[in-house]
Amino acid sequence: MLHQIWGKPSALRVAEAARTGLNSLAQIVVVGIKGADVIRSTGSEEGRVFAYQENPVIGLPGGTGDAVRTALRNNVQVKVEELNRQISRRSIIIERAIFDPYFNVGFSHAKNRSPTGSPFDLGSTTFEGVEVNPFERTGQDAGLRGTTLLGSTYEVKITETRGDNPEASLLSLNPQYGTGVEVYLPEPLLKNAWFDYNSANIRIARNNKLLSDEQYELTSIQMVYDVVTAFWELVFAHEDYLAKVNALQLAEDQLRIAPRRVQA
């Protein structure tokens, strides 16, 4: 009501139009949440009274805006569509998470006690029969693994091993250490391959999100339309009731006056 058209606030133009059209100096201007601004913009004149319209339940101005705000806050179908929007957004995150890399760590330990008679295993130059050749190996690895949108899987891994053979002293050093880097990148050529197949679920989730957004908007628009229509139908019904009450009073007055006119 405060935006200006032709240099005048809407509240002032409405007040002047009502005075000109009704040909009456008495005016009651109903104001709401920005009542003070409307009063300052309209100004005070003789016969002009301002009335503040307030919703006693929530302390906000009543009218179609209040009705729509209440409906949006309490309508079950709107809440359902809002939950569907949140679910569709979460579905996109879930589908994208399939292609997120993950970190893996491994540890292994092996201990062997194998019988042998080889001097190379026992570290001796003379054959003295079969003896036990103990051997221990410890290993640990860490790396990244994942899947790409092309369908290929990748893995990058670093391994470190330690071997201990305390009885072997002729040709081998003890303990023994080893470090290695492994890279795997297999790519399927036909089945489950290429971008269109692997990104299909992501694109489906995005389309579902667009559909849920559209459905939420359509539900809100329909709800607003229904609320505004019901509001003005209620106003019309109330005004129609008052008009019929006035018509009834007028008819009763005419009924009382008619016999007098006949007698006159």
Side-chain angles (χ1 to χ4, degrees):
M1 297 294 289
L2 294 177
H3 63 278
Q4 295 186 359
I5 299 178
W6 301 319
K8 293 183 179 180
S10 297
L12 180 59
R13 289 188 297 102
V14 172
E16 292 178 351
R19 171 169 295 176
T20 303
L22 297 177
N23 194 22
S24 173
L25 295 178
Q27 287 187 345
I28 299 178
V29 181
V30 181
V31 297
I33 192 172
K34 293 186 178 181
D37 296 334
V38 173
I39 293 172
R40 283 194 295 268
S41 300
T42 306
S44 61
E45 291 187 7
E46 182 181 358
R48 180 176 296 168
V49 178
F50 296 92
Y52 180 69
Q53 182 183 22
E54 180 178 354
N55 189 319
V57 178
I58 60 176
L60 295 175
T64 55
D66 181 47
V68 170
R69 180 169 50 250
T70 303
L72 285 173
R73 184 173 59 249
N74 300 319
N75 186 269
V76 176
Q77 188 60 38
V78 173
K79 292 183 178 179
V80 169
E81 296 302 333
E82 177 61 29
L83 289 177
N84 289 335
R85 294 178 68 190
Q86 296 178 9
I87 292 173
S88 62
R89 295 192 190 101
R90 184 60 58 181
S91 298
I92 296 178
I93 297 176
I94 292 174
E95 295 299 335
R96 286 178 174 174
I98 297 176
F99 302 97
D100 291 342
Y102 59 92
F103 180 75
N104 57 293
V105 178
F107 176 81
S108 62
H109 177 75
K111 184 175 182 180
N112 299 324
R113 296 176 63 84
S114 304
T116 181
S118 173
F120 297 100
D121 294 333
L122 300 176
S124 175
T125 58
T126 61
F127 180 76
E128 298 180 356
V130 177
E131 296 184 13
V132 175
N133 179 28
F135 183 80
E136 294 186 10
R137 179 180 293 273
T138 303
Q140 54 268 352
D141 61 82
L144 292 176
R145 181 184 299 175
T147 305
T148 68
L149 286 172
L150 295 177
S152 57
T153 58
Y154 62 89
E155 182 178 5
V156 179
K157 182 169 63 174
I158 299 176
T159 60
E160 182 177 349
T161 59
R162 179 183 185 276
D164 187 9
N165 187 359
E167 299 296 334
S169 59
L170 180 61
L171 298 177
S172 61
L173 298 177
N174 213 35
Q176 300 178 8
Y177 294 92
T179 302
V181 177
E182 301 177 8
V183 178
Y184 299 95
L185 189 63
E187 170 65 40
L189 297 179
L190 296 176
K191 184 179 180 180
N192 302 339
W194 311 119
F195 179 81
D196 291 339
Y197 176 85
N198 291 278
S199 64
N201 290 334
I202 297 178
R203 288 182 280 115
I204 291 173
R206 289 175 178 171
N207 291 334
N208 290 336
K209 178 183 176 300
L210 294 176
L211 290 176
S212 63
D213 290 342
E214 292 291 338
Q215 187 61 41
Y216 174 80
E217 184 176 353
L218 290 175
T219 302
S220 300
I221 291 174
Q222 185 63 43
M223 189 275 302
V224 171
Y225 172 79
D226 293 340
V227 169
V228 174
T229 301
F231 180 89
W232 289 113
E233 286 180 352
L234 177 61
V235 172
F236 172 79
H238 178 70
E239 296 296 331
D240 183 62
Y241 170 76
L242 295 179
K244 289 180 178 179
V245 170
N246 292 332
L248 178 60
Q249 293 178 353
L250 180 61
E252 291 176 349
D253 293 339
Q254 292 293 335
L255 183 60
R256 288 194 300 267
I257 295 173
R260 299 177 184 177
R261 291 182 177 178
V262 171
Q263 293 177 0

